[in-house]
Amino acid sequence: MFGSEARSASPILSVDLKKFDLSAEEYIATTAGGWSATPLKQQRVRAGVLANCWQVGPCMFIEYDLGPYFFEATNAHVQNGGPVIVFEKILSGFEYGRFAGEDHYAGADTIILRGQDAIRRQIATATRRQELYISKQSIGLNPNQALLSKFIAPNTLVGRILHAEWDGIFESLKNGATNQPQSAVDRLAAALKVALGVNPQREDVRAEARELLFRQIQRFVGANLDHPDLNTTMILSQYGVSRASLYRMFESMGGVRNYITELRTSKALLDVFESGRGYGAIRSAQDRWRFSSQPNFNRAVNRLFGNSPKKLLSSEADLDISFRLKSDFAADFLDNRWGAPAPDLSQMVA
């Protein structure tokens, strides 16, 4: 098929699949090197983490379900870098907050590099996520190099390639593959390297322009969430795009109106976290972010986060993190992200 010379087969990497189940307390303690986490108590989803982890050569691929949380990463957290970096993709749910100096919404499909500029305060609904742990060295970076955050959407040439390679490996792993060709991991690493360091190709220019316009509209919405007249008409008057184009931009987020409501709800809960969590704080946040009544605010919060504002924010007192982690693997591997020795995979919870 390929002429007189047969192509050499790609080396095969074995797949080691393990599972772990962390309680909320374990998750908080395990990830303390990278951020502070506070679970939001709700009825539908547990606050801990259920994860499948696949080690493939030097990489760790993880898919997990995470309950709703409030996260905070301070300067002390983000300066605690290490030789392992993490790329993350949200499959369902969303997160919203102050990230790398500006308001930020991350929903399904964008691949995120959590860089060391990521001082943030954010709130997340229950989400399903995928993560790739990979050494800086394996994608041609200095192990001590500090990286800036980056968001890689699938609507440019580079983004499409990266997402396709990412999805292909995860799909194979979830279907029970016991090995992976080295070439698949090499292609993913190459796509990551290109996405992090190469200027857009000519084919990307138009898609990049659309993406930049979309991000600008998102910033406009975030800056005007407390405006009483924020709606589709106001956005159209500012940017001159067609109504159909605007709807396509926000289609994956449930439409413009739904997007605005989600952001206002998230902003209100973030305000409550910052101002004491009492009834007065809830009422003040509800009024500031344009909810017409307490029942309307309660319904919006319950729809997104699974409980009333008061109950969501009452969980911290229930936690006790003064224990030894049951999952040595989870502690060791996640610590490696912040400079600890390489994990002993034999310690992973079965």
Side-chain angles (χ1 to χ4, degrees):
M1 180 182 296
F2 300 109
S4 58
E5 293 185 4
R7 291 190 176 184
S8 59
S10 173
I12 298 298
L13 301 173
S14 63
V15 173
D16 185 8
L17 167 62
K18 301 291 183 180
K19 302 173 184 287
F20 67 82
D21 181 350
L22 297 183
S23 67
E25 293 91 340
E26 288 178 299
Y27 177 75
I28 291 167
T30 300
T31 59
W35 53 78
S36 297
T38 302
L40 303 179
K41 182 185 290 183
Q42 62 136 298
Q43 300 161 331
R44 296 194 295 264
V45 180
R46 66 194 294 274
V49 179
L50 292 169
N52 287 329
C53 307
W54 299 270
Q55 188 189 19
V56 183
C59 303
M60 181 66 72
F61 296 86
I62 304 178
E63 182 168 307
Y64 64 99
D65 293 297
L66 182 67
Y69 271 84
F70 169 77
F71 297 100
E72 185 172 25
T74 65
N75 193 53
H77 287 116
V78 300
Q79 288 182 345
N80 188 22
V84 173
I85 56 176
V86 178
F87 293 87
E88 178 180 305
K89 184 174 183 177
I90 297 175
L91 302 181
S92 63
F94 71 90
E95 62 183 32
Y96 180 73
R98 193 76 177 163
F99 184 92
E102 63 180 40
D103 282 356
H104 165 68
Y105 174 98
D109 287 341
T110 297
I111 292 175
I112 307 165
L113 165 64
R114 299 288 191 192
Q116 287 169 257
D117 61 334
I119 298 171
R120 68 186 189 273
R121 181 171 288 164
Q122 65 192 66
I123 197 162
T125 64
T127 51
R128 171 161 286 184
R129 302 171 185 242
Q130 293 174 338
E131 287 185 347
L132 165 63
Y133 286 67
I134 189 169
S135 71
K136 294 176 182 176
Q137 229 170 348
S138 66
I139 54 174
L141 300 173
N142 186 307
N144 299 316
Q145 182 175 342
L147 299 175
L148 300 181
S149 302
K150 188 171 182 66
F151 305 89
I152 307 160
N155 56 357
T156 65
L157 177 61
V158 170
R160 289 197 302 274
I161 292 170
L162 174 57
H163 281 259
E165 297 296 341
W166 176 291
D167 292 343
I169 290 183
F170 267 101
E171 195 62 33
S172 174
L173 294 172
K174 289 162 64 177
N175 285 336
T178 58
N179 54 60
Q180 286 289 317
Q182 175 75 53
S183 58
V185 176
D186 290 345
R187 287 196 307 270
L188 177 59
L192 289 169
K193 188 175 180 179
V194 171
L196 292 182
V198 175
N199 291 328
Q201 301 299 309
R202 181 172 299 174
E203 305 96 304
D204 269 351
V205 171
R206 187 172 296 177
E208 285 283 349
R210 287 195 299 267
E211 179 69 14
L212 289 171
L213 176 59
F214 175 50
R215 297 302 176 195
Q216 185 62 36
I217 292 173
Q218 284 188 302
R219 284 193 286 271
F220 175 81
V221 171
N224 289 278
L225 281 174
D226 58 351
H227 195 291
D229 297 325
L230 178 62
N231 55 25
T232 299
T233 301
M234 182 177 176
I235 297 169
L236 291 174
S237 68
Q238 288 288 322
Y239 291 95
V241 297
S242 69
R243 191 174 294 268
S245 294
L246 186 65
Y247 285 168
R248 280 195 297 272
M249 288 180 185
F250 288 91
E251 185 176 10
S252 66
M253 302 170 186
V256 177
R257 180 183 296 181
N258 183 70
Y259 178 73
I260 291 171
T261 299
E262 288 184 350
L263 264 57
R264 283 175 166 166
T265 306
S266 302
K267 278 276 196 183
L269 287 179
L270 286 170
D271 276 3
V272 175
F273 258 101
E274 294 173 357
S275 57
R277 311 187 195 185
Y279 175 77
I282 293 175
R283 178 62 185 269
S284 175
Q286 164 201 308
D287 292 343
R288 178 185 177 189
W289 299 109
R290 301 292 171 180
F291 289 93
S292 58
S293 67
Q294 185 175 347
N296 283 343
F297 180 50
N298 286 348
R299 278 194 292 271
V301 172
N302 193 67
R303 180 177 67 84
L304 290 178
F305 294 95
N307 218 331
S308 69
K310 185 175 181 180
K311 289 181 179 177
L312 276 177
L313 303 170
S314 68
S315 59
E316 192 170 39
D318 297 340
L319 297 174
D320 175 15
I321 60 172
S322 57
F323 63 91
R324 187 177 186 280
L325 289 178
K326 295 191 292 292
S327 172
D328 290 336
F329 160 74
D332 290 347
F333 191 82
L334 292 176
D335 279 349
N336 190 44
R337 179 177 180 177
W338 301 295
D344 177 3
L345 292 174
S346 68
Q347 298 297 313
M348 190 183 293
V349 174

